[in-house]
Amino acid sequence: MSDNHHELIAALKSSLIGQRYSLVVARNYCAYASGFLDYLGQRGIPVADVIDVHVEQYLRHAIVQFEKQRGRRPSARWREVPRSGIHALLRLVHGQWPPAIKPACEADEVRFSICAEYEIWLREERGLACSSVAALMWEAWHFLAWQIDHGLNGLAVLSVTDIDHYMDLRAPKLRRCSLKSVTERLRALLRYLHITGRVTTDLSGHVLAPTLYAYEGVPSVLDRGQIIAVLESAEKDKSPAGLRDYAILQLLAAYGLRSGEIRHLRIEDIDWRTEAIHVHHHKTRASTFLPLLEPVGEAVLAYLRSGRPSTDVREIFVRTRAPYRKLDKLYSMVRRRLRDAGVQPAGKCGPHIFRHARAVEMLRAAVPQKVIGDVLGHRSTGSTAPYLKLATEDLRAIALDVPGMELVE
């Protein structure tokens, strides 16, 4: 191994330790990264020129070597550790991994330019949230790539027939709700292309979407007994992950918060002296101060004291393994905790079912719809209405009599 390789491995080890990886994990990552550097050196490939193909070629080579040395093939998940170590090395060298895609031709350069301008427009002109921008950009990238792949090199000649062909390609694997979202994202792109003069005619009106009727689908909801069962099951797990999950489930059950609101909750958002919690509603860009309920406060405090790893990250809930950063999602955790408690909702089983349950509980406690909307962080009562359809019997009980109906036999 060259001196440069030794320096890279030493820098990698220092970086991993700085991110609080365990010594065992750091040692394993460095060992696989070192093997990868040896592989590159034997083939005369500078590490600065590495692409995804080289990583996959090395992993296939490593599997062959594993089989020769041990007389058997590695497990299906064996690749994860070598790949993670190699990716950590490449992030150190390249600054990011996977690297940014580079344009391969003039058409690619046009597509990259349009997407870069479109993203700025979505953020600065329309002021959309990051999640909305990401969804719109995904559709833009794929539509423009499809346009190039099908020989439609000029957007100026884009026609309704071309739009129909693209939608025919997207539609078969999508449900009606998802298909409607695709049409809305495609309409936004076509309007932008027309506004900026890249398409002569506004084709957005020709993108047909399926009709979705108000309240046509009833979401899943948990009853109070199921919620208690899930909380009791999670409370028994005293591991760091268990303490974290229990605190998250308490927040879900008590306030019906969105997944993102919990994941972005920061240490300074809880005022222990006044016993209040400051919730930032990223979807509506509003905020709410809620009383810190005792079960929630105790669960969060137990996690902060005994479960949360030492890290500079300000978000309360972080990964249990290095690198310690905020959680990317809650769906898998909620689904696992429901399964462990023996709770099987009829439909979806993500964190949103706790939100539905909280709305129904407040309705049954005679809480006004406006107050329910305020707690849930809604901007209008219309946003709250879909949650209340879950309590059909409660709504029927408070329905007003229709004048004149007493005359009908």
Side-chain angles (χ1 to χ4, degrees), residues 131-174:
S131 57
S132 299
V133 172
L136 287 160
M137 288 305 302
W138 190 96
E139 201 66 50
W141 275 106
H142 283 75
F143 174 76
L144 294 174
W146 172 86
Q147 173 235 347
I148 293 173
D149 291 342
H150 286 72
L152 307 176
N153 294 322
L155 286 172
V157 300
L158 197 65
S159 67
V160 176
T161 302
D162 299 326
I163 302 299
D164 290 341
H165 287 165
Y166 176 76
M167 291 304 299
D168 288 342
L169 178 70
R170 294 281 279 124
K173 298 180 181 179
L174 299 176

Side-chain angles (χ1 to χ4, degrees), residues 241-300:
L243 294 172
R244 182 199 64 191
D245 295 352
Y246 179 64
I248 291 174
L249 291 169
Q250 280 284 4
L251 285 165
L252 287 171
Y255 306 111
L257 300 181
R258 299 181 180 94
S259 171
E261 292 164 355
I262 292 177
R263 291 186 291 107
H264 290 93
L265 196 64
R266 297 168 67 88
I267 292 176
E268 56 268 25
D269 289 331
I270 296 184
D271 190 332
W272 298 99
R273 292 184 177 180
T274 62
E275 297 185 346
I277 180 170
H278 186 197
V279 179
H280 301 274
H281 305 290
H282 293 269
K283 186 174 182 178
T284 59
R285 299 190 176 183
S287 60
T288 304
F289 284 93
L290 298 172
L292 182 62
L293 303 178
E294 184 176 349
V296 177
E298 291 180 352
V300 173

Side-chain angles (χ1 to χ4, degrees), residues 342-363:
V343 175
Q344 298 180 337
K348 295 181 179 179
C349 53
H352 226 64
I353 60 176
F354 286 90
R355 186 171 175 83
H356 298 150
R358 190 71 189 105
V360 172
E361 286 182 346
M362 286 189 284
L363 176 67

Side-chain angles (χ1 to χ4, degrees), residues 118-130 133 285:
Y118 184 45
E119 184 171 7
I120 293 174
W121 183 76
L122 292 172
R123 293 184 188 279
E124 298 183 359
E125 296 295 327
R126 295 192 59 190
L128 298 180
C130 293
V133 172
R285 299 190 176 183

Side-chain angles (χ1 to χ4, degrees), residues 212-226:
L212 298 183
Y213 299 97
Y215 316 147
E216 66 176 68
V218 178
S220 303
V221 66
L222 300 175
D223 59 41
R224 174 46 53 179
Q226 291 174 317

Side-chain angles (χ1 to χ4, degrees), residues 116 123 203 247 357 408:
R123 293 184 188 279
L203 300 174
V408 179

